[in-house]
Amino acid sequence: MLAAQLATYLAEIQLPATPEQQKQLVDFVNMLNKWNKAYNLTSVRDPQAMLIRHVMDSLVVSPYLDGQRFIDVGTGPGLPGIPLAIMNPDKEFVLLDSLGKRIRFQKQVQFELGVKNITSVESRVEAYEDEQGFDGVLSRAFASVADMLNWCRHLPAPDGCFYALKGQLNPEELTQIPAGFVLKQVIELKVPELDEQRHLLKIVEE
């Protein structure tokens, strides 16, 4: 059931996936559902809803990623990082979260599904250092864009970009982008079977 739905949704957003990638995405949903019963990793309880609200909600961002190294800040159980890593095996993803149970789940996913291009790190974002810098800083969990930029400004490489995954756009929130940052692009996203607004904001430092 999930496999057939996934194939339909991927076709709808015109995102090609190998049979192995499709299997990994379905297995990820099944693992999330199983672990969720014990560890409460997400408020979404139904596997079909997880496929739409977590996996597809993450994958619609995939065509817009520029570069090789990404960090997913406040990733929770690995969203959007794990679905994006499965679909982009040529890119590296660091998954950052401050809760140990979420990191344990991610590491189990990496082990069971053979996802080689993720690194899970248990840390608060302000305490995390990376000398190389990232091509992209991703987040779908931050309360506000201003908080994301202020707390993550040490993470991108010199020409790196912030990718803020948002629902409905709040015009007031966009006026509060801190000085020194520029909103480069606002992309409207369409998630299959989800009748809710989704947007991707691409923000760079001046």
Side-chain angles (χ1 to χ4, degrees), residues 35 75-78 82 95-97 101-111 118-121:
W35 276 62
T75 182
I82 289 174
L95 310 179
L96 191 71
D97 203 275
K101 66 179 182 180
R102 295 172 181 161
I103 298 297
R104 282 194 294 279
F105 171 71
Q106 293 168 26
K107 288 185 171 175
Q108 194 61 28
V109 168
Q110 183 177 20
F111 173 71
I118 57 174
T119 305
S120 298
V121 178

Coordinates of all heavy atoms in Angstrom, one line a residue, residues 35 75-78 82 95-97 101-111 118-121:
W35 N 9.0 2.9 16.0 CA 9.7 3.6 17.1 C 8.8 4.6 17.7 O 9.0 4.9 18.9 CB 11.0 4.3 16.5 CG 12.2 3.4 16.5 CD1 12.3 2.3 15.7 CD2 13.4 3.5 17.2 NE1 13.5 1.7 15.9 CE2 14.3 2.5 16.8 CE3 13.9 4.5 18.1 CZ2 15.6 2.3 17.2 CZ3 15.2 4.3 18.5 CH2 16.0 3.3 18.1
T75 N 16.5 18.6 13.5 CA 16.1 17.6 12.6 C 15.0 16.6 13.1 O 14.3 16.0 12.4 CB 17.2 16.8 12.0 OG1 16.8 15.8 11.0 CG2 18.0 16.0 13.1
G76 N 14.9 16.5 14.5 CA 13.9 15.6 15.1 C 14.3 14.2 14.7 O 15.4 13.8 14.8
P77 N 13.3 13.4 14.2 CA 13.7 12.0 13.8 C 14.4 11.9 12.4 O 14.6 10.8 11.9 CB 12.3 11.4 13.7 CG 11.4 12.4 13.4 CD 11.9 13.7 14.0
G78 N 14.9 13.1 11.9 CA 15.6 13.1 10.6 C 14.8 13.7 9.5 O 14.9 13.2 8.3
I82 N 16.8 12.8 6.3 CA 16.9 11.4 5.9 C 16.2 11.2 4.5 O 16.9 10.6 3.7 CB 16.4 10.5 7.0 CG1 17.4 10.4 8.2 CG2 16.2 9.1 6.4 CD1 16.9 9.6 9.4
L95 N 22.8 15.6 10.5 CA 21.5 15.8 11.2 C 21.8 16.2 12.6 O 22.3 15.4 13.4 CB 20.8 14.4 11.1 CG 20.7 13.8 9.7 CD1 19.9 12.4 9.8 CD2 20.0 14.7 8.7
L96 N 21.3 17.4 13.0 CA 21.6 17.9 14.3 C 20.4 18.0 15.1 O 19.4 18.6 14.7 CB 22.2 19.3 14.1 CG 22.9 20.0 15.3 CD1 24.2 19.3 15.6 CD2 23.1 21.5 15.0
D97 N 20.5 17.4 16.3 CA 19.3 17.5 17.3 C 19.9 17.4 18.7 O 20.9 16.7 18.9 CB 18.3 16.4 17.0 CG 16.9 16.8 17.6 OD1 16.7 16.6 18.8 OD2 16.1 17.4 16.8
K101 N 17.2 10.5 22.1 CA 16.3 9.4 21.5 C 16.2 9.6 20.0 O 16.0 8.7 19.3 CB 15.0 9.4 22.2 CG 14.1 10.6 22.0 CD 12.7 10.5 22.7 CE 11.9 11.7 22.5 NZ 10.5 11.6 23.2
R102 N 16.1 10.9 19.6 CA 16.0 11.1 18.1 C 17.3 10.7 17.4 O 17.2 10.2 16.3 CB 15.7 12.6 17.9 CG 14.4 13.1 18.5 CD 14.3 14.6 18.4 NE 13.0 15.1 18.9 CZ 12.8 16.3 19.3 NH1 13.8 17.2 19.2 NH2 11.6 16.7 19.8
I103 N 18.4 11.0 18.0 CA 19.7 10.6 17.4 C 19.8 9.1 17.4 O 20.3 8.6 16.4 CB 20.9 11.3 18.2 CG1 20.8 12.8 18.2 CG2 22.2 10.7 17.7 CD1 21.0 13.4 16.8
R104 N 19.4 8.4 18.4 CA 19.4 6.9 18.4 C 18.6 6.4 17.3 O 19.0 5.4 16.6 CB 19.0 6.4 19.8 CG 20.0 6.5 20.9 CD 19.7 5.7 22.1 NE 18.5 6.1 22.8 CZ 18.4 7.1 23.6 NH1 19.5 7.8 23.9 NH2 17.3 7.4 24.2
F105 N 17.4 7.0 17.1 CA 16.6 6.5 16.0 C 17.3 6.7 14.6 O 17.3 5.8 13.8 CB 15.2 7.3 16.0 CG 14.4 7.0 14.8 CD1 13.8 5.8 14.6 CD2 14.2 8.0 13.8 CE1 13.0 5.6 13.4 CE2 13.5 7.8 12.7 CZ 12.9 6.6 12.5
Q106 N 17.8 7.9 14.4 CA 18.5 8.2 13.2 C 19.6 7.2 12.9 O 19.8 6.7 11.8 CB 19.1 9.6 13.2 CG 18.1 10.7 13.2 CD 18.8 12.0 13.6 OE1 20.0 12.2 13.3 NE2 18.0 13.0 14.2
K107 N 20.4 6.9 13.9 CA 21.5 5.9 13.8 C 21.0 4.5 13.4 O 21.7 3.8 12.7 CB 22.4 5.9 15.0 CG 23.2 7.2 15.2 CD 24.2 7.2 16.3 CE 25.1 8.5 16.3 NZ 26.0 8.6 17.4
Q108 N 19.9 4.2 14.0 CA 19.3 2.9 13.7 C 18.8 2.8 12.2 O 19.0 1.8 11.5 CB 18.2 2.6 14.6 CG 17.7 1.1 14.6 CD 18.8 0.1 15.0 OE1 19.7 0.5 15.8 NE2 18.7 -1.1 14.5
V109 N 18.2 4.0 11.8 CA 17.8 4.1 10.4 C 19.1 3.9 9.5 O 19.0 3.2 8.5 CB 17.1 5.4 10.1 CG1 17.0 5.7 8.6 CG2 15.8 5.5 10.8
Q110 N 20.1 4.6 9.8 CA 21.4 4.6 9.0 C 21.8 3.1 8.9 O 22.2 2.6 7.8 CB 22.4 5.4 9.7 CG 23.7 5.5 8.9 CD 24.7 6.4 9.5 OE1 24.6 6.8 10.7 NE2 25.7 6.9 8.7
F111 N 21.8 2.4 10.1 CA 22.3 1.0 10.1 C 21.4 0.1 9.4 O 21.8 -0.7 8.5 CB 22.4 0.6 11.6 CG 22.7 -0.8 11.8 CD1 24.0 -1.3 11.5 CD2 21.8 -1.7 12.3 CE1 24.3 -2.7 11.6 CE2 22.0 -3.1 12.4 CZ 23.3 -3.6 12.1
I118 N 24.6 10.1 5.8 CA 24.2 11.0 6.9 C 25.1 10.8 8.1 O 25.7 9.7 8.4 CB 22.7 10.7 7.4 CG1 22.5 9.2 7.7 CG2 21.7 11.0 6.3 CD1 21.2 8.8 8.3
T119 N 25.3 11.9 8.9 CA 26.0 11.9 10.2 C 25.1 12.5 11.2 O 24.7 13.7 11.0 CB 27.3 12.7 10.0 OG1 28.1 12.2 8.9 CG2 28.1 12.6 11.3
S120 N 24.8 11.7 12.3 CA 23.9 12.3 13.3 C 24.7 12.8 14.4 O 25.6 12.2 14.9 CB 23.0 11.1 13.8 OG 22.2 10.7 12.8
V121 N 24.3 14.0 14.9 CA 25.1 14.7 15.9 C 24.1 15.2 17.0 O 23.1 15.9 16.7 CB 25.9 15.9 15.4 CG1 26.6 16.7 16.5 CG2 26.8 15.5 14.3

